[in-house]
Amino acid sequence: MENNSMNRPSIKMSFSGSRTRYFFYLIVCLLFFSVPVGAQGKSTYSLKVIDKDLELPLEGVRVLDPSTGGVFLTDPEGIVKLPSLPALLVLSLPGYEEKRVRSKEWGDQNFLLVNLRLAGILEAEELVVETQAAGRSDAQPGVSVTAERELIKITGLSGVVEDAMNTVRILPGVIYAGRFNPFLSVRGGDPGGLAYHLDGALMKNPFHWGGTVSYFNPRLVESLKLSAGIFSVRNGQATSGLLEINTVIPDEGLKWEVGTSISTLDGYVQVPLDPENRSGLLAGARITNYDIVFALTGNFLEEGQGITFSRVPYIYNFYLKWFSRPDNRFQYHLNIFAGQDGIGLRTLDPDVDITIAIQNTFDFTWTNRDLFLSGGSRWLPGDRLSIHTTLGYEYWDTSADGGFTEKGTRTYSTEFVNAYGGLYGIQADDSFSLDLQSSFRDTTALHQFQARVDNFYTLTNQLTLEAGGGGYLSLYRFHPSGSIWNISYLPDNTPVYRKEAYTSGAENNNILVSFAYIGSTYDWVPDRFRLEGGLRVDHGYFWGKGDFNLNTLPVLGPRVIFQYTPLDGKPAPLTFSLGTGIFSKIPFDVLSITRDMGLKDYDIKTPKSYTTVAGVETYFGDGFRFKLEGYYKYLFDRFYSNFIPENETLTSRDLMLRFHNDGIGHSAGFDVLLDRRTSRYFDGMLSYSFNVARYKNPQTDGLDSASTGFGGPNDPRGRWYYPSFHRFHSLNLLTNYKPTTWLTLSTRLSFATGTPEPRYGEKEMFAAQVINQDNSTTIAEMYTRKSFYSDSLRGGWALPLDVKFSFHFYRKGSKVYHEFYLGAEDILSVWYTSLPGNGGPVTTDRYTGEDTLAPSAGFNFPVITFGFRASY
Amino acid sequence: MDSTGGVTPYFIKLSYPPRFFYRPRWTFFIRGFLGALVFFLFALGSCASPPPAVLKDKEGFVKITPTPETRMRASISFGLTSAERTPPLGMRLIVENLKDSPLQVELFSTHLPAFLFRGILTFASDKEWVLQIDGVRIFDNWNNGWLEGEADAYGTLVGNLESPRTEPGQGLSQGTRWKGRLRDPLSLGEVKKGEVRYFDRYYRREEGQVRVEHRIRRLKALIQGTAGEKRMLGDYQLPEGKEGTTEQDSIRTAPALRAPLQKPPKDRREPEVEENPGLYVSIWNLDWFNARIQAEGVVLEEWN
């Protein structure tokens, strides 16, 4: 008997007639074709979609079968019929969370009921107003943490200075830096290793007052994202982290907001330029002036310090943004930021009688101007390809002009006469007179141009490719100069008082940094395993005065991060992440490179960090999130410089700058985040960062490590050390308690252990040969202490507590929001700075030898603040 | 109603009998000039000063006033307001030009604080008008946000002349009293547009629309939980109604009559109620409102 795969009957039959034969074949065909149909089992599958809260059917739900690309819509009863059982279905409906249904959920049934939940329970989830576009993604485990508008408003719109950086300071991974210091160390990295992006464009100097306040007005910031982990190869020029500021997009119709606080008046307005809000304009301005503040606190500052302001601190800035989305496939924006700030400070101790003592004065003026233009576009030429372009120009002009005077007459002490009287013919009751002047003037001007193109191609539903490139051209005009009287040491460690002149020959350095990258994001198993990786290359080219030019070795920056989500849900209830990568940044220090340094092509290496991060993130309860990430960084090819004395005499010397590129460092630690998103009664955030960072700058250039460091004793050479910004522990607790609908009580408590403190040697009295301005010479009685780096000594810990009461309401039938707030900053400072060891460093008066406690560098003092805002 | 089917605004419909046309022509010009002058002064006055208030009841619960956007261009506005101890009801009629007919209307009540119904009022005769509701603006706020939406709405209010007209002709005239009855009760339909502000978050476009729709459904679901209770309201008690097959049917034919609320009960602590107290009250009161006007009607008179 024949046996073949077609299962045709193999018996031999005879047919009596054609009709019978055809009838027989018909029966056979029906039987044959009925076999595979019967093997299929069920005819159709029905899916019903309902609203989880209301238990009502949802019409119009889009049901996508990714394997075939087929799209179905639910009917008014929420039902859709499917021809076959798909491996995966993706359900989506505007305003609702997307849901994925796998074949295993059907079991043996041909009917399945699916619940869709409204997207982002109002009191729990981070807002997603619009469809996410590539390049502006939400926080990702192992990569970044975001702060949305509400957190920015709560933390940014308060205090003496309203600044979005107030929000960044409390994010996990950020080491506490004090109230007025926005130069932040992220996970132990150098503050200079943090890059700032405004709507995708790099900002070189987004700060007012030399770094005290940032340009980022909290009212204009839609969200910010701090990437301290393994962020995409799209972004570079950052060794410790990337801070992306996304401003408000003016596509929401007419909106406005005005506000005033103790020192600031600002506001903005959004106007639509298109009836359907496809185009809009946003304009804002800010004026910060401290006349009121110093009228209230002037007595406090002036007491014992004699501070006056030749120019009260001010900030003026203006912001304009134009956005347009002509159709769903193309959009573009233009940002214009212009700002100016300044301060004029004069200190004078009015109680000093120059006939019997030396009076010190300090006169300082600072002026800063910045203009930032940037624009970008996003274009979808096809369903799979997205092209982003960014252009930018930044002009930055800053000048710091200052002078010190030391003038007066002082009688020699008995101890000095006994020690040096015989050598210099000094007798009891003799006196010396000083009339010294120090001065400095630093000017910096920068023109920076930038351009980049980023391309994203969706190869499949699981695989997205990206590639791009660009460059930053920086034209610097850098003119530092000064001559300053200072205590220094001869090679035999004899202290002397002499005038040290400095200048830089690198006046017109230009830098072109170019980059290219290629990367991909692969949903290996959708909603389970996600892999993102890529390779980036950066290159630097310098040219400057004297017709010299230098190339850096191209820096390769491979990065990969892997995320595993074992459980379904949105947001994913549990995610593990593991990633590693190399990051690089050409630092600001390279401004001072000159032809005389004898550098050649590829001598300069770009500073890099090799970073590894592992973490876990989970959502639980009613809007709670917990995140734990551990990391290790190896920093290498770090820049540092030494001042090499030249032309040294007893009364003067020149200091020549010598750069080195072989600094290394290790940084390890972990960050913890526990937060609850905006809720009706209570929400807040707890972040804690633990960090150990050790750096080493190997080259001493033959000088004493105690005094060769550019940054003083906290920046030693030839040994491992904790960097000056290092703190072991940084903790921030932010709570918002809303006992009524019209009152919010916000508290922000931070705790941070101290930064490294130097060890001071014995007080030393010495005879300084001084040449006064009138060229007369004299022997001055002076005192000094050497300072040495110490691994064990630490400054005092900080415990700033800020409290803010907000009273907010809408008038009946109105959409205008009103808020008054009253707050106090650092209210515990009087207590914790008075504790032993918690004050500032000990300073020794150079003329009297008297030891005093200097004010804390963190400016820890309580401040009362109040403000008002209205918004529509 | 004129031959075109529209309504000629009464204020310029001078009561000249046909014999006017047989008077000498010079009198015609003088009267025409005076009439034009009167109209000009009237129009000038209506532009220069706030438009006269419209209809309302004696207690001032219900008002009809011009919409803000049409107030700018409306040369004339009228209103009707409920006159007696009935559910406060107001209707605002907008006249964009002298020949504008039918009239746009906004209908609102203090018992429905979150709703501003819109419709078209058409004069069937000089003694009857019909108001067909076709939409509603929804707005409510609390101390930390607001909710706004546009939705379809349904309902028909018929007004019959009750007191003698103070001026002949069709349309409204000061002092005129109308008896309004609901032929079809007021009800909400599909939400077309929506926006929500929650603290500093904004939900717009589709997401806002979904959230407004969701909030209304949620409040209805909360209210339906207490719809089974039957309460006495003065002399009024509706008979048991039949079960509706849709959510709207169940509200329109609520089996029990609820006492109206001025604000949500204190024991209602759901976030939805706290965030939208006016909307809760409006949805709660809608059945009662419809029942009262259906049963008793409402007397409306002009209010200046």
Side-chain angles (χ1 to χ4, degrees):
Chain A
M1 181 182 294
E2 286 185 320
N3 185 13
N4 58 50
S5 61
M6 292 298 287
N7 291 326
R8 285 183 299 177
S10 57
I11 56 175
K12 199 168 184 180
M13 299 178 69
S14 61
F15 301 95
S16 57
S18 61
R19 181 181 294 181
T20 305
R21 182 165 59 245
Y22 290 140
F23 181 72
F24 173 77
Y25 284 144
L26 178 62
I27 296 295
V28 168
C29 289
L30 286 175
L31 287 173
F32 173 75
F33 287 109
S34 69
V35 169
V37 171
Q40 191 176 14
K42 306 174 180 64
S43 56
T44 60
Y45 293 84
S46 293
L47 184 77
K48 181 167 184 175
V49 187
I50 65 172
D51 181 299
K52 183 178 180 182
D53 294 319
L54 302 175
E55 298 182 351
L56 296 174
L58 292 174
E59 180 185 359
V61 176
R62 183 175 183 270
V63 182
L64 167 70
D65 181 354
S67 62
T68 63
V71 175
F72 309 89
L73 297 177
T74 57
D75 62 17
E77 296 303 316
I79 294 174
V80 62
K81 293 192 186 298
L82 306 168
S84 61
L85 180 65
L88 173 68
L89 288 174
V90 180
L91 280 63
S92 60
L93 181 67
Y96 285 83
E97 294 177 352
E98 187 179 275
K99 187 151 188 175
R100 294 173 180 249
V101 177
R102 304 183 191 282
S103 57
K104 65 179 180 181
E105 298 179 42
W106 295 75
D108 295 329
Q109 307 299 315
N110 62 345
F111 175 82
L112 184 67
L113 182 68
V114 177
N115 295 315
L116 284 192
R117 190 173 69 170
L118 205 65
I121 304 299
L122 287 178
E123 64 273 13
E125 298 302 324
E126 182 178 330
L127 169 67
V128 177
V129 177
E130 293 186 307
T131 303
Q132 293 300 315
R136 185 171 174 160
S137 54
D138 288 336
Q140 291 187 47
V143 179
S144 58
V145 62
T146 61
E148 71 274 19
R149 191 184 288 187
E150 283 167 302
L151 179 63
I152 296 168
K153 289 279 176 71
I154 290 170
T155 53
L157 290 179
S158 63
V160 177
V161 180
E162 294 183 344
D163 190 352
M165 294 298 286
N166 293 338
T167 307
V168 179
R169 288 195 184 91
I170 66 172
L171 295 179
V174 178
I175 293 179
Y176 179 80
R179 183 190 301 167
F180 298 115
N181 180 13
F183 293 120
L184 306 175
S185 169
V186 179
R187 290 180 169 172
D190 191 281
L194 183 62
Y196 303 88
H197 282 200
L198 181 70
D199 290 337
L202 177 72
M203 287 193 90
K204 272 288 189 184
N205 181 58
F207 297 111
H208 292 296
W209 294 339
T212 307
V213 179
S214 78
Y215 290 166
F216 309 128
N217 187 337
R219 301 184 200 284
L220 301 177
V221 177
E222 174 72 34
S223 66
L224 58 86
K225 181 167 72 174
L226 177 65
S227 300
I230 313 301
F231 50 89
S232 168
V233 290
R234 280 195 307 274
N235 297 305
Q237 290 302 303
T239 51
S240 67
L242 172 66
L243 180 63
E244 296 175 87
I245 305 292
N246 298 310
T247 57
V248 172
I249 297 176
D251 64 346
E252 301 171 326
L254 176 65
K255 284 180 62 181
W256 54 263
E257 182 168 330
V258 294
T260 182
S261 67
I262 192 170
S263 60
T264 300
L265 175 65
D266 67 343
Y268 78 88
V269 61
Q270 270 187 55
V271 293
L273 301 178
D274 175 86
E276 296 179 12
N277 292 332
R278 290 176 301 180
S279 178
L281 191 67
L282 181 149
R286 177 172 177 160
I287 298 173
T288 295
N289 188 287
Y290 277 82
D291 284 325
I292 297 177
V293 173
F294 287 107
L296 294 175
T297 61
N299 290 337
F300 177 82
L301 288 173
E302 291 174 2
E303 183 179 352
Q305 297 185 22
I307 295 177
T308 59
F309 289 94
S310 55
R311 181 63 170 93
V312 173
Y314 70 92
I315 296 174
Y316 307 134
N317 61 42
F318 170 77
Y319 181 70
L320 192 69
K321 180 169 185 173
W322 176 34
F323 172 83
S324 180
R325 187 188 296 121
D327 56 54
N328 290 336
R329 292 187 170 273
F330 183 69
Q331 67 181 47
Y332 58 90
H333 74 272
L334 174 67
N335 286 336
I336 301 174
F337 172 88
Q340 178 169 332
D341 61 86
I343 184 173
L345 185 69
R346 187 175 297 147
T347 65
L348 169 72
D349 190 344
D351 297 329
V352 172
D353 181 356
I354 61 172
T355 62
I356 57 172
I358 309 299
Q359 183 184 63
N360 295 283
T361 66
F362 173 54
D363 200 339
F364 170 72
T365 58
W366 161 272
T367 305
N368 179 64
R369 299 180 192 85
D370 198 284
L371 173 65
F372 185 74
L373 307 174
S374 73
S377 68
R378 294 184 179 183
W379 179 36
L380 297 173
D383 289 340
R384 295 179 179 272
L385 178 64
S386 174
I387 300 175
H388 301 184
T389 58
T390 304
L391 299 171
Y393 168 73
E394 182 174 4
Y395 170 69
W396 173 39
D397 181 352
T398 196
S399 70
D401 200 334
F404 313 81
T405 64
E406 298 166 277
K407 189 171 183 177
T409 301
R410 183 174 170 79
T411 303
Y412 293 110
S413 68
T414 303
E415 291 77 17
F416 187 83
V417 172
N418 292 338
Y420 295 97
L423 181 61
Y424 296 106
I426 297 172
Q427 299 176 354
D429 296 329
D430 281 352
S431 62
F432 65 95
S433 297
L434 292 180
D435 183 12
L436 305 175
Q437 184 167 12
S438 304
S439 65
F440 64 90
R441 180 170 171 78
D442 296 339
T443 61
T444 303
L446 164 70
H447 298 270
Q448 173 165 277
F449 303 86
Q450 59 182 292
R452 63 179 296 156
V453 176
D454 302 281
N455 306 283
F456 305 88
Y457 187 76
T458 305
L459 203 60
T460 68
N461 288 337
Q462 293 173 243
L463 179 63
T464 301
L465 303 177
E466 56 187 24
Y472 308 101
L473 173 62
S474 303
L475 309 178
Y476 286 101
R477 302 297 175 257
F478 182 53
H479 302 281
S481 65
S483 58
I484 298 176
W485 283 96
N486 195 23
I487 296 176
S488 55
Y489 298 85
L490 296 176
D492 63 359
N493 280 327
T494 301
V496 293
Y497 195 54
R498 53 189 172 181
K499 199 167 192 177
E500 296 176 332
Y502 69 90
T503 186
S504 172
E507 294 190 341
N508 296 330
N509 272 2
N510 307 306
I511 306 172
L512 173 63
V513 175
S514 53
F515 67 91
Y517 69 88
I518 183 168
S520 70
T521 303
Y522 180 46
D523 283 327
W524 190 0
V525 177
D527 292 339
R528 286 286 181 270
F529 297 100
R530 185 170 184 267
L531 186 67
E532 181 175 348
L535 178 65
R536 179 186 174 97
V537 59
D538 289 82
H539 172 261
Y541 175 70
F542 306 90
W543 71 99
K545 183 180 176 184
D547 193 26
F548 91 98
N549 52 73
L550 294 169
N551 283 283
T552 67
L553 277 172
V555 179
L556 293 180
R559 301 172 200 171
V560 63
I561 183 164
F562 177 77
Q563 293 167 345
Y564 170 53
T565 305
L567 304 173
D568 282 335
K570 196 164 187 180
L574 184 64
T575 302
F576 299 95
S577 58
L578 176 64
T580 189
I582 293 178
F583 303 82
S584 66
K585 180 178 182 181
I586 295 177
F588 202 73
D589 305 46
V590 299
L591 277 181
S592 300
I593 292 176
T594 62
R595 183 194 183 95
D596 300 337
M597 294 179 181
L599 296 168
K600 299 184 296 296
D601 271 346
Y602 312 117
D603 282 349
I604 296 178
K605 290 169 285 187
T606 306
K608 296 174 271 294
S609 76
Y610 168 70
T611 303
T612 298
V613 175
V616 60
E617 180 178 283
T618 178
Y619 289 83
F620 62 94
D622 188 11
F624 287 93
R625 174 178 60 166
F626 174 78
K627 191 170 179 176
L628 171 65
E629 283 186 6
Y631 59 89
Y632 166 74
K633 292 186 182 183
Y634 174 60
L635 307 145
F636 55 109
D637 295 335
R638 283 179 45 253
F639 261 72
Y640 62 97
S641 56
N642 291 330
F643 281 108
I644 311 300
E646 291 186 357
N647 305 322
E648 194 161 10
T649 68
L650 287 177
T651 55
S652 69
R653 68 175 180 175
D654 295 333
L655 293 174
M656 304 307 295
L657 201 60
R658 182 173 297 169
F659 273 100
H660 296 285
N661 205 182
D662 59 351
I664 55 177
H666 301 281
S667 177
F670 64 89
D671 307 322
V672 177
L673 172 68
L674 174 65
D675 71 352
R676 187 185 189 208
R677 298 299 183 175
T678 300
S679 170
R680 163 61 185 89
Y681 292 102
F682 181 81
D683 52 69
M685 186 179 83
L686 172 68
S687 69
Y688 169 71
S689 300
F690 172 77
N691 172 260
V692 177
R694 300 281 279 177
Y695 287 16
K696 183 177 183 181
N697 301 326
Q699 305 299 326
T700 65
D701 290 316
L703 301 174
D704 181 357
S705 64
S707 57
T708 55
F710 181 77
N714 284 335
D715 190 19
R717 302 289 179 265
R719 60 160 295 162
W720 290 97
Y721 67 99
Y722 293 105
S724 59
F725 50 79
H726 176 258
R727 297 177 190 260
F728 283 108
H729 307 279
S730 298
L731 181 143
N732 298 283
L733 175 62
L734 173 71
T735 61
N736 298 303
Y737 176 53
K738 305 159 195 176
T740 70
T741 58
W742 49 267
L743 172 65
T744 298
L745 170 60
S746 302
T747 61
R748 175 182 154 180
L749 177 66
S750 299
F751 171 75
T753 51
T755 52
E757 280 287 304
R759 175 175 58 84
Y760 292 96
E762 294 296 319
K763 185 171 15 179
E764 188 175 355
M765 179 178 65
F766 68 99
Q769 296 186 35
V770 176
I771 302 175
N772 288 321
Q773 291 194 81
D774 60 1
N775 289 322
S776 62
T777 59
T778 187
I779 302 297
E781 176 182 348
M782 301 191 74
Y783 296 84
T784 184
R785 288 181 189 271
K786 265 195 170 182
S787 55
F788 306 90
Y789 172 78
S790 170
D791 249 1
S792 58
L793 292 179
R794 288 275 168 167
W797 42 267
L799 191 67
L801 172 63
D802 304 337
V803 178
K804 177 181 172 184
F805 291 87
S806 297
F807 306 92
H808 39 82
F809 63 93
Y810 286 84
R811 297 182 64 180
K812 187 68 177 175
S814 170
K815 292 165 71 172
V816 178
Y817 173 79
H818 299 82
E819 178 182 342
F820 299 88
Y821 75 83
L822 178 65
E825 281 198 334
D826 212 353
I827 57 180
L828 300 178
S829 59
V830 176
W831 167 68
Y832 69 79
T833 56
S834 66
L835 295 176
N838 265 26
V842 173
T843 63
T844 300
D845 188 293
R846 62 179 59 175
Y847 297 113
T848 67
E850 182 181 348
D851 293 331
T852 55
L853 205 61
S856 167
F859 297 98
N860 302 108
F861 52 85
V863 177
I864 303 295
T865 64
F866 55 85
F868 164 78
R869 75 173 173 125
S871 68
Y872 171 81
Chain B
M1 187 175 296
D2 59 17
S3 59
T4 64
V7 175
T8 304
Y10 77 96
F11 65 96
I12 63 162
K13 193 170 181 66
L14 304 177
S15 56
Y16 295 109
R19 65 178 180 277
F20 160 78
F21 295 104
Y22 299 106
R23 294 202 176 186
R25 279 194 179 182
W26 64 268
T27 58
F28 170 79
F29 284 115
I30 290 175
R31 289 176 186 269
F33 173 76
L34 290 174
L37 181 63
V38 167
F39 165 71
F40 173 78
L41 292 174
F42 191 95
L44 190 66
S46 68
C47 292
S49 60
V54 288
L55 300 175
K56 72 172 185 179
D57 64 337
K58 287 183 178 177
E59 292 119 351
F61 290 142
V62 177
K63 293 188 293 188
I64 301 175
T65 52
T67 57
E69 31 309 339
T70 55
R71 189 175 296 171
M72 299 292 287
R73 56 181 189 271
S75 56
I76 293 295
S77 62
F78 300 93
L80 292 169
T81 182
S82 55
E84 298 172 349
R85 194 182 65 83
T86 52
L89 176 67
M91 292 199 301
R92 172 169 49 223
L93 301 96
I94 300 99
V95 179
E96 294 196 19
N97 57 63
L98 297 180
K99 296 184 179 179
D100 191 23
S101 177
L103 303 171
Q104 293 183 49
V105 180
E106 288 182 347
L107 182 149
F108 52 94
S109 169
T110 53
H111 287 296
L112 309 174
F115 295 150
L116 183 66
F117 290 95
R118 292 193 177 120
I120 301 296
L121 187 147
T122 307
F123 279 89
S125 69
D126 60 350
K127 295 182 180 179
E128 182 181 89
W129 49 259
V130 178
L131 166 57
Q132 193 67 45
I133 299 296
D134 55 27
V136 63
R137 176 182 180 263
I138 304 165
F139 182 82
D140 194 16
N141 64 8
W142 62 305
N143 283 324
N144 290 296
W146 46 260
L147 175 148
E148 183 178 34
E150 295 277 346
D152 289 335
Y154 312 98
T156 308
L157 183 71
V158 178
N160 296 106
L161 186 66
E162 189 170 84
S163 65
R165 296 185 62 81
T166 56
E167 290 184 29
Q170 292 185 12
L172 302 177
S173 58
Q174 188 169 356
T176 305
R177 290 163 64 96
W178 301 81
K179 183 80 168 185
R181 289 187 185 276
L182 272 179
R183 179 193 299 168
D184 303 308
L186 300 177
S187 62
L188 303 183
E190 182 186 353
V191 174
K192 298 295 187 184
K193 289 169 58 177
E195 283 188 19
V196 176
R197 178 175 177 176
Y198 183 81
F199 290 90
D200 278 304
R201 299 184 185 184
Y202 292 84
Y203 300 86
R204 299 181 188 274
R205 301 189 187 97
E206 291 172 327
E207 194 163 15
Q209 176 195 347
V210 166
R211 287 181 181 271
V212 172
E213 176 88 47
H214 195 275
R215 179 53 54 90
I216 292 173
R217 289 187 178 189
R218 180 69 179 164
L219 289 174
K220 284 180 179 177
L222 290 173
I223 289 169
Q224 289 288 83
T226 57
E229 298 173 11
K230 186 181 295 185
R231 300 181 186 182
M232 301 300 294
L233 177 67
D235 298 329
Y236 300 94
Q237 181 178 353
L238 287 183
E240 291 281 340
K242 60 181 178 181
E243 292 278 334
T245 57
T246 67
E247 193 175 24
Q248 291 189 6
D249 287 340
S250 65
I251 290 178
R252 284 199 295 267
T253 60
L257 182 64
R258 308 182 200 93
L261 298 176
Q262 294 296 323
K263 55 185 178 180
K266 290 182 179 179
D267 58 352
R268 274 289 186 200
R269 295 184 182 276
E270 291 89 349
E272 296 89 344
V273 179
E274 182 182 62
E275 293 165 15
N276 298 118
L279 187 55
Y280 180 91
V281 165
S282 300
I283 295 174
W284 176 282
N285 288 346
L286 190 57
D287 283 350
W288 168 85
F289 184 90
N290 286 328
R292 284 289 299 272
I293 297 186
Q294 279 182 316
E296 190 178 298
V298 57
V299 176
L300 301 165
E301 65 181 15
E302 184 175 351
W303 157 59
N304 285 317

